[in-house]
Amino acid sequence: MLRSLVGSEMCIRDRYQRRVRGTDSEAAMQALLQEHLSNGSFYEAHQVLRTQFSRKKNRKKYAEARDGAVEGCLLLLQHEQTDCAADLGKQIVDMYTEQKMEETPETLEPLVRILTAFRDCSGAAVPLMTLGKVCIRWSAAHGTFREGSPELHNVLAGFMAVEGEYGVAQQHFLRGDRPEEFADMLGQWASEGNKSEADLFVTRAVLGYLILKNGRDANAVFEKSMEGVVNPSPLQNFIKYLLLCVTRDAPDLFKELCERYSKSLKRDASFGQYISAIGEQYFDIRAPQSGMQAMMQQMMQGMMGGS
């Protein structure tokens, strides 16, 4: 019975696709699209949009293909068809990748428009993140920023913050360029937990920025988070001095600072890894290796012919 049902579905799909392929004029395709949208036949509308995109792409009308697909995505999102919109948006990114198109304002802005439109849809988190990751992967490969365009990260960060997915949002805020919004989210995140641990949230954010070598936004998120704080905690004092320290060639001062605030840094097990990375990046301080780590490194060097 299952085989019969699957066969019937494939026949219906094949007949539909032949109908779409037999529709030659752009006007006829648009009429067919509107008919499907009016009838609530969104799968069929999606197929029309994919066909229009493919035809233009195959004729090397890349800008027209992109612009038509963008409008198609926005139409689908107006009808809450988030999965279909994500699939159509991915077709644009695939075209960018296939044609080795570089990230420019002209190629980036359409993707930002599509991602931004997801915020008005319910249950959009999964398709948005799926499409967003594809966009970021292309941007990282063909753009200026190693982690992908901050504009893309900004959209995902803002959406996930509203959804209450603060951990995911934090990863994108760190790679975006809106530290003030990030600070507001950190305040909300901290308020939903133990208020005595609010300093942990901003510390993680600042250390994250520093590892990404973004001192500007590290300072901005710290300054915003400290507004209204009368009695800073030892951890907040550590961050204040650390932000000054990383601007100087002062490894001894960094070591002294970490030693003085070692008790506060033990409040979160991850801080030790952050501090080791910062020490290496900013002050060329290598973290001591365990006996096993040193032995493995020597073995690898021997295998690779190193000294």
Side-chain angles (χ1 to χ4, degrees), residues 108 112 115 129 132-133 135-137 139-140 145-160 168-178 181:
L108 179 63
V112 174
L115 294 176
M129 293 303 296
K133 289 176 182 178
C135 294
I136 288 169
R137 193 178 304 122
S139 173
F145 296 91
R146 187 180 64 180
E147 301 282 344
S149 168
E151 291 187 60
L152 297 172
H153 286 291
N154 290 340
V155 177
L156 300 185
F159 184 93
M160 298 310 288
V168 178
Q170 177 170 261
Q171 295 306 310
H172 291 289
F173 270 122
L174 285 170
R175 292 158 178 82
D177 55 10
R178 295 179 180 172
E181 289 185 23

Side-chain angles (χ1 to χ4, degrees), residues 225-297:
S225 297
M226 293 300 290
E227 290 179 358
V229 176
V230 178
N231 297 309
S233 70
L235 196 56
Q236 288 167 329
N237 282 328
F238 168 77
I239 290 298
K240 179 176 70 174
Y241 297 130
L242 177 64
L243 287 169
L244 295 172
C245 188
V246 295
T247 63
R248 302 168 58 185
D249 184 16
D252 291 337
L253 181 59
F254 173 74
K255 291 177 181 178
E256 181 183 347
L257 185 64
C258 293
E259 178 65 26
R260 179 170 298 184
Y261 289 94
S262 60
K263 182 177 179 180
S264 295
L265 291 172
K266 290 177 181 177
R267 290 175 57 199
D268 187 313
S270 69
F271 288 166
Q273 296 176 333
Y274 281 113
I275 294 302
S276 294
I278 290 169
E280 184 170 339
Q281 288 186 20
Y282 290 85
F283 306 105
D284 199 26
I285 299 173
R286 305 289 175 175
Q289 292 182 319
S290 66
M292 179 60 72
Q293 289 174 321
M295 183 178 70
M296 291 298 294
Q297 184 174 11

Side-chain angles (χ1 to χ4, degrees), residues 183-202:
D184 290 338
M185 188 206 77
L186 292 172
Q188 179 63 32
W189 193 2
S191 72
E192 296 179 11
N194 188 337
K195 292 184 178 180
S196 66
E197 297 183 346
D199 55 348
L200 295 176
F201 292 88
V202 67

Side-chain angles (χ1 to χ4, degrees), residues 85-192:
D87 174 75
L88 189 58
K90 184 176 179 297
Q91 302 304 309
I92 300 174
V93 183
D94 288 346
M95 180 182 72
Y96 283 177
T97 303
E98 291 166 8
Q99 300 304 319
K100 297 181 173 56
M101 295 184 184
E102 294 299 311
E103 181 192 297
T104 65
E106 183 183 2
T107 55
L108 179 63
E109 188 274 338
L111 302 181
V112 174
R113 279 184 66 198
I114 294 170
L115 294 176
T116 302
F118 274 84
R119 67 186 176 191
D120 297 323
C121 300
S122 58
V126 172
L128 169 66
M129 293 303 296
T130 300
L131 177 58
K133 289 176 182 178
V134 171
C135 294
I136 288 169
R137 193 178 304 122
W138 163 78
S139 173
H142 297 276
T144 304
F145 296 91
R146 187 180 64 180
E147 301 282 344
S149 168
E151 291 187 60
L152 297 172
H153 286 291
N154 290 340
V155 177
L156 300 185
F159 184 93
M160 298 310 288
V162 171
E163 291 287 302
E165 296 290 343
Y166 301 126
V168 178
Q170 177 170 261
Q171 295 306 310
H172 291 289
F173 270 122
L174 285 170
R175 292 158 178 82
D177 55 10
R178 295 179 180 172
E180 289 79 12
E181 289 185 23
F182 188 14
D184 290 338
M185 188 206 77
L186 292 172
Q188 179 63 32
W189 193 2
S191 72
E192 296 179 11

